[in-house]
Amino acid sequence: MSDRSDRAETHADAPREPYGVGPAYPSSHTQFTNDAPGRYAAASAPEPTAPTAPAAPAESAVDAAPAEDPYYAPSAEFTVADGIRDVGMVFVGASMTAGYGDPKGLGWVGRVVARTQHPDLDLTAYNLGVRGNTSGDVVARWGAECHPRWKGRAERRLVLNVGINDVVSGMTMARSRLNLANVLDEATNAGIGVFVVGLTPTLDDEMNRKIEALAEAQADVCSRRGITYVDCYRPLATHDQWMADLAASPDRAHPGQAGYGLIAWLVLHNGWNDWLSLS
């Protein structure tokens, strides 16, 4: 896998297909556009046959991801009520979800919530980002922390953004993929609407190679379940303003006001209103 500079030099000759929902911007683009993004569409489930043995669940391997795991169908149906909708929305993740480093204290979550106001939406939002969390930490805590926030709400929504610390901690790709799949499956089985925000690039090329690979894996996990995944890696990997914001930050790892604004833009312009069934 080549680094960013190699991709920028060869992009015109060998463009790569976008993954997930977010658009794959050429390296020459430094501003976002309103062009419609590409999407992964969940494939139709195969015709049922008489099984001779119970089928192995998707993402069942811990040390090696399955070559072709089946598409997942939740046992509970997510519904949207007519009229004024009482929505409980919980954001779960690590420091990027918490908005660490933003001098405005908004992060991308605060900016997205501020733009998610609608006459038919009675929205209660909670930010449960915890610095240093891995996907394993999210698996362990999301249920206990989210369900009390949803109590009494007619419509339950979950937004996930996790994985950078999986790479930092050396977690295997298969384990990280399995952790995400477990949360998605448990949530959708409980009739909870889920939205996944992808990983963002760093200033380290070696780290970015691992982040990009995990971003592709997360997009695949979501695609198999028909869950919206926003690709933040490719749009930001060659975005001058994002890289400048990281370089100017005290820890050179978390963006400031401009960087969080870019993530919020990607979320809002890549399936957010469709996911919320807002016209």
Side-chain angles (χ1 to χ4, degrees):
M1 185 179 293
S2 60
D3 60 21
R4 280 200 317 276
S5 60
D6 291 337
R7 287 200 300 275
E9 292 169 359
T10 60
H11 183 86
D13 298 326
R16 298 178 63 185
E17 292 298 318
Y19 53 79
V21 174
Y25 291 97
S27 58
S28 60
H29 284 209
T30 57
Q31 299 296 326
F32 294 141
T33 71
N34 285 312
D35 295 342
R39 291 175 181 262
Y40 269 142
S44 300
E47 290 296 322
T49 57
T52 56
E59 316 295 342
S60 59
V62 172
D63 297 321
E68 187 176 349
D69 49 81
Y71 286 81
Y72 170 81
S75 60
E77 202 172 308
F78 183 81
T79 58
V80 175
D82 294 330
I84 304 300
R85 294 156 51 197
D86 180 13
V87 178
M89 183 181 296
V90 185
F91 296 79
V92 178
S95 55
M96 296 294 284
T97 304
Y100 175 73
D102 181 6
K104 293 292 186 182
L106 294 172
W108 66 265
V109 172
R111 289 172 169 82
V112 166
V113 171
R115 296 289 299 274
T116 310
Q117 304 302 320
H118 190 277
D120 294 337
L121 207 64
D122 181 11
L123 178 65
T124 306
Y126 301 90
N127 188 330
L128 301 185
V130 176
R131 286 185 67 185
N133 261 196
T134 66
S135 61
D137 296 319
V138 168
V139 168
R141 72 179 177 89
W142 81 271
E145 295 185 13
C146 291
H147 285 290
R149 272 88 180 175
W150 284 321
K151 186 176 181 180
R153 305 282 68 77
E155 186 175 324
R156 298 172 295 169
R157 300 274 183 170
L158 173 64
V159 183
L160 293 172
N161 170 225
V162 68
I164 293 290
N165 291 313
D166 292 9
V167 176
V168 172
S169 67
M171 183 182 295
T172 65
M173 175 80 73
R175 169 55 69 182
S176 184
R177 178 184 175 113
L178 178 63
N179 287 340
L180 176 62
N182 283 341
V183 176
L184 299 184
D185 293 352
E186 289 175 18
T188 51
N189 270 328
I192 298 162
V194 188
F195 187 98
V196 179
V197 178
L199 309 179
T200 54
T202 68
L203 295 173
D204 184 299
D205 286 339
E206 179 59 30
M207 179 73 72
N208 283 348
R209 281 189 278 271
K210 297 175 182 178
I211 291 172
E212 183 175 22
L214 181 55
E216 290 182 352
Q218 289 188 342
D220 182 61
V221 170
C222 293
S223 172
R224 291 172 182 275
R225 290 155 176 79
I227 289 173
T228 303
Y229 172 89
V230 178
D231 171 21
C232 293
Y233 180 84
R234 292 190 181 181
L236 297 177
T238 53
H239 196 290
D240 293 342
Q241 193 174 21
W242 171 263
M243 292 302 174
D245 214 35
L246 285 185
S249 70
D251 65 0
R252 295 175 62 85
H254 295 86
Q257 182 176 338
Y260 281 115
L262 292 173
I263 299 173
W265 193 100
L266 286 169
V267 171
L268 290 166
H269 289 79
N270 288 282
W272 184 254
N273 282 351
D274 288 344
W275 177 63
L276 285 172
S277 300
L278 297 177
S279 55

